[in-house]
Amino acid sequence: MDQLIPFDIGSSTEDVLEVVRRYWGFDELRPLQHDAIRAGMDQRDSLVVLPTGGGKSLCYQVPPLLTGRTDIVVSPLISLMKDQVDGLRTNGYPAAALHSGLDPQNRSEAEDFIASGDCRLVFVSPERLVTPWFLNTVEKLGVSTFAVDEAHCISHWGHDFRPEYRQLAVLKERVPGASIHAYTATATERVRDDICAQLALVDPTVLVGNFDRPNLLYRLVPRLDLRGQVREVLHRHENEAVIIYCISRKETERLAGHLQDEGHQAAYYHAGMDAAPRRQTQERFANEELDVIVATVAFGMGIDRSNVRCVVHIATPKSIEHYQQETGRAGRDGLEAECVLLHSPADTMRWQTLMERSAAEGDGGGLAGSLALLDEIRRYCAPGKCRHQALVEHFGQAYDAPGDAGCGACDVCLGETEGLVEATKDAQMILSCVARLQQSYGMGHVADVLRGAKTERIRSLAHDELSTYGLMEGKAQKQIMNLIFQLLDQELLTRSPGEYPVLLLNDASLEVMRGERTVHLVPAKAQRVRKSSRDSASWEGVDMELFERLRGLRTELARERDVPPYLIFGDASLRDMAASKPSNETEFLAVHGVGEKKLKDLGEVFLAAIASHGD
Ligand code: ADP
Ligand code: ZN
């Protein structure tokens, strides 16, 4: 294959940076990448915990380049391996993968390449790793460094246990003296300990990264009008990649159908689909032929589209771990992205029922544990603390706010939840008024009493003597009615059937009145959030028209070469080009994500497009 000309390199920090610049076009390493790469070079066992998008792969990709070794990466999914190998090759990095998806011709090519010793990184599934051919090759080449990607798959306590991973327990025995480097995004202590024990790591260097994802904007919004709210979010992310997570398969199909009816190009995805359409949908999303995907959590590992600009949950997930994992798929390119969670108290009740049912059927048995996790996310949904802070603290880390105004990237710090504290008070006033009126009156009258109206009816009933009379003085009747409707929607209040319905209290009303429950109400005129992600700072100086043009060029080239567009260039690179407008090779090389191979391959055509722009 077409490789970069080898060059003399040592192993100093400068040498590491040189390689990273040459092959990846990055100017610096992220904090833990240094230490993780060092452990790989020195062959010290290690466990590296970094959130999704944190840059784990670079940590095992760099050492074999510098040392001239052949290293092995164990990976759980064919699609993950394929994407990584394709990406590495477009950077001129000699890599190969061995998996069951190869035809005989490709397999024998890959095997020859590996046996030649020129291949720096071999991706392999755990089953294949322990085959005689492979272990034999490992011995012949003197391979002694193994990276285990998605290492939590080895643990029962992880959210994604894979029995095949258990076979890795024999690695230390089979390859004496080998070093093992485990990588995961799962942060719980139990999983961490389990990984070290299962892989028999010896005195491992444990590196745990910062779990905050500062480029993600978290917005937790009470679900009042699902379709309208989803529409509004999609409006903010026109022509951008959005994943919408639903709990059930049926919901994905229904919502995707509605969105299509409204003219959106959207598709659904869940585990109940046949393999072919399922793969096709995933590929169309990866190839940027499809932007909106409505999915269950089955749409997860293996999505390598790094420019997902928004992840929407239309209901509360069952734990903060799930939430973090799923929102982690947004903004992997480090650029701003939004995470919207539309929640309702009904969601946690629904999960509880599901959990109780599956416990009764003898599945798992960890009911108390699941319910505790559910309770955590329920509390997370209430407005209070900064979302970034709460998430990071959940994973046992301290949060350092970047400024006085908090994180600057969540609904709480942006002041979007202001008024919700009043909302609970408003709800309490309305509900106590319903109670004072003996649950015998309709909405209009309740609203009149609350605003202190001086009507004949109120006087004749002596309702102006009630303690709740005039409690919401200053508000219009319509405004109060709007709040009452919202309480009805959220089932915090009910109505009798019939022609003249009266307002009735239920158990939830009592919880609110006792202060055991926070209420979310939106002002009659919902405040608009930032119109589009394109208003954000990372777009500063970017020539939008040029960006779109380069994006078109990227799609064209991707199609010609039959690779996903992000393998040509990520959005960060395109934005950088559209801002700095390089006019020669040296300037092009300075663009984020441009290494020597990409300069050679793509420099000319992109430079030409930039030069002709604005002519
Ligand atoms: P993970 O495997 O931890 O989810 P990846 O290895 O896929 O994360 O990296 C996420 C993104 O960050 C990729 O687009 C990658 O190219 C980019 N990246 C990694 N390291 C750096 C770096 N030092 N500088 C700039 N971008 C980086
Ligand atoms: Zn915040």
Side-chain angles (χ1 to χ4, degrees), residues 447 451 475-485 524:
R451 74 187 173 97
K475 276 200 167 66
Q477 193 201 31
K478 231 180 163 171
Q479 259 176 315
I480 301 174
M481 299 264 280
N482 176 294
L483 298 177
I484 295 176
F485 272 121

Side-chain angles (χ1 to χ4, degrees), residues 20 24-30 33 50-61 84 149-150 184-185 304 306 328 331-334 592-593:
V20 168
W24 286 273
F26 301 151
D27 292 331
E28 52 188 17
L29 286 176
R30 294 178 180 158
Q33 286 180 326
L50 275 175
T52 315
K56 290 183 281 296
S57 36
L58 202 68
C59 304
Y60 54 74
Q61 290 165 348
Q84 283 218 33
D149 205 5
E150 312 285 353
T184 180
D304 226 357
S306 64
R332 290 183 61 166
D333 52 13
H592 175 90

Side-chain angles (χ1 to χ4, degrees), residues 457-473:
R457 184 147 183 251
I458 286 185
R459 225 169 295 130
S460 65
L461 290 164
H463 284 171
D464 48 0
E465 284 160 30
L466 294 174
S467 60
T468 52
Y469 180 77
L471 264 185
M472 299 178 97
E473 208 171 353

